[in-house]
């Protein structure tokens, strides 16, 4: 589920260009707090071709900067200009719980928005039951062009979307369904990757994982037209091998048709979870997340949760790794991803 532990407004700031100022103190050029009197949360932001910004998240508000809420929690899409002034906003969803987690400007200067939806009314149609992946295609002014709900009778949680070279889209997250749009699930929850055509029709889908919990956090199309995914796994069977115990980083390379080329489980005996990955200019991959391990693939651990960065070559072999952090006390014994995602 997508949960905040405290109210956080949409805020955007840009570092100043003065190297001395950056070295001594972050210089804020501007910032904006956007929302209403209820809960408004930011999940993703991207700079747009006009130099402004597009950001998405969720809102419970019916006032302030928010207009058009459908009830409960809506996806909230906000377009800002180059200095952070509000150009337009859209509340999208239905009467239930709808949260946007990923946005990208598309080749036609519009926007593709991905979230998780429990609604089957308002802007949302054809929900399969419980939570579905929900994709909304917007034009450059934020008007809804088309929308689709994807999933089965179980629970789907969306995490990331990207436009692909053919004008379609690839998205990833997790599923525990084995019906509807979903087939081939291995166990408790799987990575779920879905390839769409430009109008949102499913071209193919793949469930990846083992008999336990597997959750994809990121997906990226690589320069060769293949796909690279990262996230976490608790499995050591099915598609997963080489687990170190508890949760591991799990990275997966698929070909253009979604067939598995290779996979790597990375980590130690503690909890290791990847949040983000990028295809690097040398043909390899950089993966970032967190760890509580001090063995296996991990050295230099500081205590509690550390940031963990892993560099892989093009075949998924580990080139180097760094555990980044300090030693501190966790408040109330709880640490969650940016105090935002709780599974």
């Amino acid at each position: 589920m997508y949960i905040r532990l405290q109210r956080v407004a949409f805020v955007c700031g840009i570092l100043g260009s003065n190297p001395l100022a950056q070295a001594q103190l972050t210089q804020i050029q501007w910032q904006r707090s956007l929302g209403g009197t209820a809960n408004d949360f930011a999940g993703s932001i991207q700079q747009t071709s006009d130099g402004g910004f597009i950001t998405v998240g969720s809102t419970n508000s019916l006032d302030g900067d928010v207009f058009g809420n459908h009830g409960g929690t809506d996806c909230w899409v906000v377009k800002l200009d180059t200095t952070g002034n509000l150009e337009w906003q859209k509340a999208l969803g239905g009467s239930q719980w709808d949260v946007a987690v990923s946005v990208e400007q598309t080749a036609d200067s519009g926007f593709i928005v991905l979230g998780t939806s429990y609604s089957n009314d308002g802007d949302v149609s054809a929900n399969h039951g419980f939570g579905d992946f929900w994709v909304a295609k917007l034009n450059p002014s934020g008007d809804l062009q088309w929308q689709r709900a994807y999933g089965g009778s179980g629970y789907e949680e969306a995490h990331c979307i990207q436009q692909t070279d053919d004008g379609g889209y690839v998205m990833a997250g997790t599923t525990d369904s084995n019906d509807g749009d979903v087939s081939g699930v291995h166990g408790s929850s799987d990575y779920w990757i879905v390839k769409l055509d430009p109008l949102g029709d499913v071209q193919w889908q793949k469930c990846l994982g083992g008999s336990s919990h597997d959750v994809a956090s990121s997906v990226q199309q690589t320069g060769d037209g293949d796909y690279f995914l990262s996230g976490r796994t608790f499995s050591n069977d099915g598609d997963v091998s080489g687990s170190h115990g508890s949760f591991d980083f799990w990275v997966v390379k698929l070909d253009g048709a979604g067939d598995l080329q290779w996979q790597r489980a990375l980590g130690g005996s503690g909890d290791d979870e990847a949040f983000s990955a990028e295809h690097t200019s040398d043909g390899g991959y950089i993966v970032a997340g967190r760890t509580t391990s001090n063995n296996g693939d991990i050295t230099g651990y500081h205590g509690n949760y550390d940031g963990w960065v892993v560099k892989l070559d093009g075949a998924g072999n580990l080139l180097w790794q760094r555990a980044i952090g300090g030693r501190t006390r966790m408040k109330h014994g709880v640490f969650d991803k940016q105090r935002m995602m709780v599974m």
Side-chain angles (χ1 to χ4, degrees), residues 145-166:
Q145 293 180 299
W146 55 260
Q147 62 81 34
R148 300 289 168 84
Y150 306 90
S153 59
Y155 175 65
E156 285 77 47
E157 182 175 276
H159 286 162
C160 50
I161 194 166
Q162 181 190 49
Q163 189 167 36
T164 50
D165 292 342
D166 61 2

Side-chain angles (χ1 to χ4, degrees), residues 60-123:
N60 296 120
S61 297
L62 293 166
D63 54 9
D65 299 312
V66 184
F67 176 77
N69 191 303
H70 296 77
T73 299
D74 266 15
C75 300
W76 198 33
V77 186
V78 178
K79 177 64 173 68
L80 306 176
D81 68 14
T82 56
T83 57
N85 298 308
L86 180 63
E87 292 187 318
W88 53 259
Q89 64 83 41
K90 300 288 179 176
L92 303 170
S95 58
Q96 301 300 313
W97 190 75
D98 313 298
V99 175
V101 295
S102 182
V103 63
E104 184 175 85
Q105 189 170 34
T106 51
D108 62 0
S109 297
F111 304 96
I112 196 76
V113 178
L114 174 67
T116 301
S117 176
Y118 284 74
S119 297
N120 200 22
D121 54 10
D123 297 317

Side-chain angles (χ1 to χ4, degrees), residues 8 30 59 88 110 119 137 177 212 280 324:
V8 179
W30 56 260
T59 183
W88 53 259
S119 297
K137 175 64 174 68
S177 299
S212 193
T280 52
I324 302 168

Side-chain angles (χ1 to χ4, degrees), residues 5-328:
L5 300 186
Q6 71 279 337
R7 185 180 186 276
V8 179
F10 280 69
V11 176
C12 180
I14 301 178
L15 296 181
S17 59
N18 185 324
L20 179 60
Q22 289 185 31
Q24 294 176 345
L25 181 67
T26 299
Q27 180 181 347
I28 297 176
Q29 290 189 348
W30 56 260
Q31 62 83 33
R32 296 291 184 269
S33 181
L34 303 168
T37 55
N39 293 316
D40 315 296
F41 305 132
S44 177
I45 192 168
Q46 184 191 57
Q47 189 167 33
T48 51
S49 57
D50 61 1
F53 303 90
I54 188 77
T55 185
V56 298
S58 66
T59 183
N60 296 120
S61 297
L62 293 166
D63 54 9
D65 299 312
V66 184
F67 176 77
N69 191 303
H70 296 77
T73 299
D74 266 15
C75 300
W76 198 33
V77 186
V78 178
K79 177 64 173 68
L80 306 176
D81 68 14
T82 56
T83 57
N85 298 308
L86 180 63
E87 292 187 318
W88 53 259
Q89 64 83 41
K90 300 288 179 176
L92 303 170
S95 58
Q96 301 300 313
W97 190 75
D98 313 298
V99 175
V101 295
S102 182
V103 63
E104 184 175 85
Q105 189 170 34
T106 51
D108 62 0
S109 297
F111 304 96
I112 196 76
V113 178
L114 174 67
T116 301
S117 176
Y118 284 74
S119 297
N120 200 22
D121 54 10
D123 297 317
V124 186
S125 62
N127 186 292
H128 297 77
F130 209 46
D132 272 11
F133 283 22
W134 189 53
V135 175
K137 175 64 174 68
L138 309 181
N139 69 13
S141 300
D143 299 317
L144 185 62
Q145 293 180 299
W146 55 260
Q147 62 81 34
R148 300 289 168 84
Y150 306 90
S153 59
Y155 175 65
E156 285 77 47
E157 182 175 276
H159 286 162
C160 50
I161 194 166
Q162 181 190 49
Q163 189 167 36
T164 50
D165 292 342
D166 61 2
Y169 307 93
V170 63
M171 58 184 180
T174 188
T175 183
D176 63 10
S177 299
N178 203 22
D179 55 10
D181 297 317
V182 187
S183 62
V185 73
H186 296 77
S188 297
S189 63
D190 272 15
Y191 280 27
W192 194 37
I193 178 173
V194 184
K195 176 65 175 68
L196 307 177
D197 70 13
L199 295 178
D201 294 321
V202 176
Q203 293 181 301
W204 52 260
Q205 64 84 41
K206 300 287 180 174
C207 290
L208 304 166
S211 58
S212 193
H213 295 283
D214 312 298
V215 179
S217 296
S218 71
V219 62
Q220 185 182 39
Q221 188 178 37
T222 57
D224 53 7
D226 294 344
Y227 300 96
F228 184 73
L229 295 95
S230 69
R232 71 177 187 260
T233 183
F234 204 74
S235 299
N236 199 25
D237 54 11
D239 298 316
V240 186
S241 62
S243 173
H244 298 77
S246 191
F247 280 109
D248 273 11
F249 278 28
W250 193 42
V251 295
V252 178
K253 179 73 182 302
L254 307 180
D255 66 18
D259 295 321
L260 182 64
Q261 293 187 308
W262 53 260
Q263 62 82 38
R264 299 286 186 275
L266 303 165
S269 58
D271 288 328
D272 315 301
E273 180 178 7
F275 297 145
S276 180
E278 288 288 335
H279 191 219
T280 52
S281 57
D282 61 0
Y285 306 92
I286 193 81
V287 187
R290 67 180 186 182
T291 183
T292 62
S293 299
N294 196 24
N295 54 17
D297 297 315
I298 300 157
T299 59
Y301 171 74
H302 298 82
N304 291 324
Y305 276 101
D306 270 14
W308 193 40
V309 181
V310 176
K311 181 66 173 71
L312 308 176
D313 67 15
N317 299 307
L318 180 63
L319 297 179
W320 54 260
Q321 61 82 39
R322 296 290 185 275
I324 302 168
R327 186 177 298 276
T328 188

